[in-house]
Amino acid sequence: MTRRPGPTVRTRVVEHLLDDSGDEVTRRHEDRLVGEEPLELRLTWPGAAPRRAWVTMRTPGHDFELAAGWVRHEGLVDDTPGAVAGVAYCTDADLTEEQAYNTVTVTLAAPPLRDLAHRHEASSAGSSACGVCGADSLADALSVAAPGGWTGPLPAPEVVRSLPDRLRAAQAVFDRTGGSHAAALCTADGQVLVVREDVGRHNAVDKVAGARVLAGLSPAEACLVVSGRAGFELVQKAVAAGTGSLVAVGAPTSLSVRLAAEHGLALWAFTRPDRVVRYAG
């Protein structure tokens, strides 16, 4: 029976360190690595055969949420309940054992809202470090299927400063490996609604949104919190979901600030308990 890959992997290591007297000693022990494996995402809808749309490197776990969040962030479906009719691992007879849990098919209730031929054909592939690989031009990269701006309340600065610590408290995979990113959806008063982790920061964001999509809820919320920098691809996903604000532990980029300002997204970065910088919104 094929074993489903997990979010962490055991390994044996040799640690070299200095003791109290300054002498080098070695220690052999077990360590844990954050899992990283490819995930192929296929799309189908009534009357259409499954086709490959995207390949990404991700941490196994919450794969269906990752797939559902991706199609929502890419503007292939809207917030209509049931727009994602189903997600399942592929059972093709020609799949190898290694591929069995690394290929998923998303069934849409209707044809996608955006053309697959340009950005999402079989040649499209992502990595665990980049969410917009394959964009042919800056104009194409800046194209976001935005559902409309957030009209609800936004977190106050004192709430924003507390959010990274609230996210960190829920990072179980990071506690075990030190190698994962995390994302969370939060209310304006700082309530954490859902947290997901992944080796890829953009995958963690897709998983968070997908958790809402598969629950029949909109991924739009007052705040999206991310454990790393505020790169362009994360702002793009926040805008596509209709999120009100993005809070990052690390730095923003010039393009992320530009996109946030153009779409009215409140963008916070360099967030810690005693300081935060607002770049847009």
Side-chain angles (χ1 to χ4, degrees), residues 50-61:
R51 65 187 69 184
R52 187 171 78 165
W54 188 50
V55 177
T56 188
M57 301 302 296
R58 98 299 188 192
T59 296

Side-chain angles (χ1 to χ4, degrees), residues 37-41 54-58 62-64 66-67 89 101-104 203 207:
E37 296 198 16
L39 180 71
E40 177 179 323
L41 189 155
W54 188 50
V55 177
T56 188
M57 301 302 296
R58 98 299 188 192
H62 303 290
D63 292 332
F64 294 175
L66 170 57
Y89 288 111
Y101 289 108
N102 287 334
T103 307
V104 299
N203 290 339
K207 288 179 177 180

Side-chain angles (χ1 to χ4, degrees), residues 11-31:
T11 188
R12 299 295 300 180
V13 300
V14 179
E15 183 177 2
H16 297 258
L17 65 159
L18 300 180
D19 61 17
D20 293 339
S21 62
D23 296 326
E24 182 173 304
V25 297
T26 60
R27 187 165 66 95
R28 298 176 184 274
H29 60 91
E30 184 179 86
D31 201 357

Side-chain angles (χ1 to χ4, degrees), residues 29-122:
H29 60 91
E30 184 179 86
D31 201 357
R32 285 222 172 233
L33 306 175
V34 61
E36 183 177 30
E37 296 198 16
L39 180 71
E40 177 179 323
L41 189 155
R42 300 177 182 179
L43 293 182
T44 186
W45 55 90
R51 65 187 69 184
R52 187 171 78 165
W54 188 50
V55 177
T56 188
M57 301 302 296
R58 98 299 188 192
T59 296
H62 303 290
D63 292 332
F64 294 175
E65 294 177 355
L66 170 57
W70 183 82
V71 298
R72 178 61 186 80
H73 283 146
E74 292 293 327
L76 303 180
V77 297
D78 57 21
D79 284 342
T80 303
V84 175
V87 187
Y89 288 111
C90 291
T91 57
D92 292 359
D94 61 346
L95 290 181
T96 67
E97 288 190 358
E98 186 177 24
Q99 293 171 319
Y101 289 108
N102 287 334
T103 307
V104 299
T105 297
V106 180
T107 300
L108 307 181
L113 300 178
R114 302 185 80 184
D115 184 12
L116 284 172
H118 182 48
R119 288 182 63 184
H120 311 297
E121 275 299 275

